[in-house]
Amino acid sequence: MNTSITPTAANPLKLGTRRSPLAMAQAEETRRRLCAAHGWDEDVIELVTVVASGDQVLDRPLAEIGGKALWTKELDAWLADGNIDFAVHSMKDVETERPATLMIAAVLPREDVRDVLVGAESVAAIPAGARVGTSAPRRAAQMLHSRPDLTVVGFRGNVATRLAKLEAGEADVTLLAAAGLNRLGQSAVGSPLPSDTWLPAPAQGAIGVECLAARADLVALLDAIDHKPSHAAVMAERALLRGLGGTCHSPIALLTTAEGTNLTLRAALFSPDGAERIEASATFPAGDNDGPAALARTLLASAPEAIRRHFTGS
């Protein structure tokens, strides 16, 4: 693919990433794919690391200290200032409303979307009254809906930190993303939960690459590694979130399946305590944002107040 960009080791493209082990693994994968697509040596892409605000405060839930923007704001500023050419993100950690100056130019092939339960073989096998370590509203609500006898305790940090907290007895079980474990070479950890009965998070397992929308040269370059089916599914899930007016406090779980050029989006909303749950689904052509928007309206119209108050859509 021809572009106007010809990076060299002396004048490399700069890829911004958080400094956590998982973020670095995702950045390495992005670099490998981009260099393979264009026939470059890997030293023509420099990884530029930042300690994100979300990685600095680990004793409080993310929703209490600024939400998902704490994963992206430093990289956003570096893009705006020209300190980096593009940035790599876990798409489930990217806030739904992004600056118009930025563009998700590529989504890599999506990894396993499932959650992994660590500390028990299944949700049913968790001992009565056990403590579940998680700071994710979706995981907490979904677990309490299935097992109201359990107690949720706050649990934040990278994979190694959370596994260490579990080993130290701060909780009896915890939940991790299968995609993250796979990318870290830890696929043997825990028991994956079936995605048809335990719905994942929006955009779980997807890596996005973002650049300035005005950089047509970079947009064209990144198109070579854009996995169109993954991109379409992630954008549909983000469109649903936008229609719902979901925030970091909003417990939502969903699953996207593809058949031909159509996507089926199955979504469940919860009250934070798990007592209330509603579900609906819709099928629509990939790339059609009207389908997710209509599904959002359907869900909100049937949602009880205990759920509805945690979404701002109409």
Side-chain angles (χ1 to χ4, degrees):
M1 177 179 178
N2 293 322
T3 75
S4 59
I5 299 175
T6 307
T8 64
N11 186 29
L13 287 170
K14 294 184 178 181
L15 176 58
T17 176
R18 290 166 50 208
R19 198 178 294 172
S20 74
L22 178 55
M24 292 298 295
Q26 294 178 161
E28 293 280 4
E29 179 180 346
T30 301
R31 176 164 64 180
R32 283 195 303 271
R33 288 180 179 275
L34 193 56
C35 289
H38 294 286
W40 297 336
D41 292 332
E42 291 190 8
D43 60 1
V44 305
I45 297 179
E46 176 186 350
L47 301 187
V48 182
T49 62
V50 63
V51 179
S53 300
D55 288 318
Q56 296 175 34
V57 182
L58 301 177
D59 59 347
R60 285 173 287 165
L62 198 67
E64 293 181 5
I65 58 174
K68 291 184 175 181
L70 295 182
W71 298 130
T72 58
K73 69 177 186 178
E74 286 86 2
L75 292 171
D76 290 354
W78 284 4
L79 281 170
D81 293 342
N83 294 327
I84 56 175
D85 295 292
F86 38 82
V88 62
H89 302 294
S90 290
M91 287 304 299
K92 73 179 180 64
D93 293 333
V94 176
E95 64 271 31
T96 307
E97 298 295 340
R98 299 292 287 142
T101 54
L102 300 179
M103 176 182 179
I104 300 295
V107 174
L108 303 191
R110 197 170 188 175
E111 245 280 9
D112 193 334
V113 301
R114 294 176 296 175
D115 273 345
V116 170
L117 180 64
V118 186
E121 292 186 358
S122 67
V123 172
I126 299 172
R131 297 161 301 156
V132 181
T134 183
S135 292
R138 170 191 64 91
R139 286 171 171 158
Q142 199 163 199
M143 184 63 78
L144 291 172
H145 181 77
S146 299
R147 292 288 306 273
D149 60 297
L150 304 179
T151 300
V152 173
V153 295
F155 231 51
R156 283 198 55 226
N158 61 33
V159 169
T161 298
R162 281 185 277 173
L163 290 176
K165 287 181 176 182
L166 188 67
E167 183 68 22
E170 294 185 26
D172 300 300
V173 297
T174 192
L175 295 148
L176 297 168
L181 291 170
N182 291 346
R183 288 178 176 132
L184 290 170
Q186 298 183 55
S187 56
V189 171
S191 302
L193 299 176
S195 59
D196 58 340
T197 56
W198 180 274
L199 299 179
Q204 186 152 309
I207 297 173
V209 189
E210 190 170 47
C211 66
L212 294 177
R215 288 290 305 272
D217 54 349
L218 280 176
V219 172
L221 184 97
L222 292 168
D223 184 67
I225 60 168
D226 185 41
H227 187 250
K228 299 300 192 290
S230 297
H231 201 146
V234 167
M235 292 303 114
E237 293 171 14
R238 288 172 62 79
L240 175 64
L241 284 177
R242 192 175 299 112
L244 289 169
T247 71
C248 285
H249 296 278
S250 308
I252 172 173
L254 55 79
L255 181 66
T256 302
T257 53
E259 184 172 346
T261 59
N262 286 336
L263 297 176
T264 296
L265 198 54
R266 175 188 169 201
L269 309 184
F270 297 83
S271 58
D273 63 1
E276 301 281 355
R277 181 187 188 277
I278 60 165
E279 180 180 319
S281 64
T283 300
F284 45 84
D288 174 19
N289 285 338
D290 291 338
L295 178 57
R297 291 192 294 272
T298 297
L299 285 161
L300 292 174
S302 62
E305 176 59 22
I307 292 176
R308 181 69 180 78
R309 71 170 67 107
H310 299 284
F311 297 86
T312 62
S314 58

